[in-house]
Structure formats: C-alpha cells, structure tokens
Amino acid sequence: PQVVGNKNMMIHTDREAWPWRGTTLAVHLIRLVSVGLGAITVWLTWQIARCLWPGNDHVPLLAAMLVAFNSMFLFISASVNNDSLAAPLAAGIILVLLRALQRGQTILDGLLLGVLLGLGALTKLSVLALLPLSYVALTYDARRRRTWRTWLINGILIAGAVALIAGWWYWRNWALYG
C-alpha cells in the first residue's frame, strides 16, 4: 500500500474467492443491481431522445450509446454507490416531464413525479434540483393549456409524496445534526 501509484484501496484475500459468501457475495449482488440500474438509465436516455426527436431512429440510438459507452458511467454503474440509483431516477423524472409537456399533464404525472423525486431525495440530494424544474415545467404546461386544477392537484401530489417518502430522513438529520 505504500508504493506510489498503487490504486488498490484494500488488500484482497482468499475470503473473496469463489464461491462468494457473506460480505463478498453482498457486494457482488449489489454491483449486479447497479449494472441493471445503469441499463435502465441507458434505456431511459433512449426514451428521452425519442420524445425530443420523434421519428428519428439515429438520435435516440446515439444518445443511448453516448451514455452506455461513457467510461466513467460504466465504472460508476459497476460500483457500489448511490449514483447508480440517482441516474435512472433523474432520467425518469425528465422523461415524465417531457411526456407531460407533449401531451398535457395528468394526475398520474404528478404522482409519478412525487414518487421519483421522493426516492431521488433519499438517494442523493442533487436529484432534488429537479424539484423546481418540475414545478416550472408543470406551470408552463398549465398556463399553455389552461389546466390549473390539474396543476394544483399535481403540485400537492408532488409535495406530499416527497414529504412522505423523504421528509422523515431530512427531519431526522435536522433533529440530530441541526
């Protein structure tokens, strides 16, 4: 470990050899889940590009490939970390917003956004940056289509779901750490 340039963060032992057991098995299973979440992120990227460029098969494929073959994305998707869940949640939020803007928002959009934003708030604080974007996008849609009742219900659904799913965690941290 004292050698300059040694990138190992731990010394590996025979306890990590096949067949995996205990912590080693758990880490490999979590990494497998993480790879699956990376695949979902690639698929959601493809879906987002399809929404933005309907009828064009090349742009969605290129967008998905840019994500799928990004070396840092591959590294993070094969690791145990919270970014692997934050990425598909954020992509899912963007996809729901785009579809709501294209066809008009529904109550289901508000519920989906609330759940995704709440899970995102538990996963990684930076996902909450999409909360104001969601309200801006839904306000724009309501103004354009004059659907203020749906906008109000969605606003309440989003705030309620985020508070219900993640509020306890932020309350706990505030109470413990100020």
Side-chain angles (χ1 to χ4, degrees):
Q2 287 80 20
V3 175
V4 176
N6 186 353
K7 303 296 185 203
N8 287 327
M9 299 192 78
M10 65 176 61
I11 297 173
H12 298 279
T13 66
D14 289 338
R15 292 186 319 189
E16 297 176 63
W18 181 261
W20 301 317
R21 291 177 296 281
T23 303
T24 304
L25 176 61
V27 168
H28 282 282
L29 290 175
I30 293 169
R31 288 180 66 193
L32 183 62
V33 169
S34 186
V35 168
L37 291 169
I40 291 169
T41 302
V42 171
W43 179 77
L44 287 168
T45 302
W46 180 71
Q47 290 289 335
I48 289 168
R50 281 189 54 207
C51 278
L52 293 172
W53 289 276
N56 186 332
D57 293 335
H58 300 293
V59 173
L61 181 61
L62 178 63
M65 287 174 57
L66 285 172
V67 172
F69 298 117
N70 179 298
S71 58
M72 188 51 111
F73 179 78
L74 289 171
F75 174 76
I76 292 298
S77 292
S79 303
V80 176
N81 61 68
N82 60 346
D83 291 323
S84 297
L85 180 57
L89 289 171
I93 292 164
I94 291 169
L95 182 61
V96 170
L97 286 173
L98 283 172
R99 288 184 174 168
L101 287 172
Q102 288 178 342
R103 62 165 159 56
Q105 61 185 293
T106 64
I107 303 300
L108 181 59
D109 294 326
L111 187 59
L112 279 172
L113 286 169
V115 169
L116 291 172
L117 284 161
L119 292 173
L122 277 179
T123 304
K124 192 162 185 159
L125 185 62
S126 59
V127 176
L128 273 182
L130 295 172
L131 181 63
L133 176 69
S134 298
Y135 280 111
V136 167
L138 294 179
T139 301
Y140 171 78
D141 179 65
R143 186 167 185 252
R144 183 177 56 165
R145 298 177 194 274
R146 301 190 197 309
T147 56
W148 293 105
R149 181 177 178 275
T150 304
W151 172 82
L152 180 63
I153 293 169
N154 280 344
I156 293 168
L157 281 173
I158 291 169
V162 170
L164 187 65
I165 293 169
W168 67 273
W169 176 253
Y170 289 95
W171 177 262
R172 175 194 172 275
N173 285 339
W174 180 75
L176 284 177
Y177 309 114

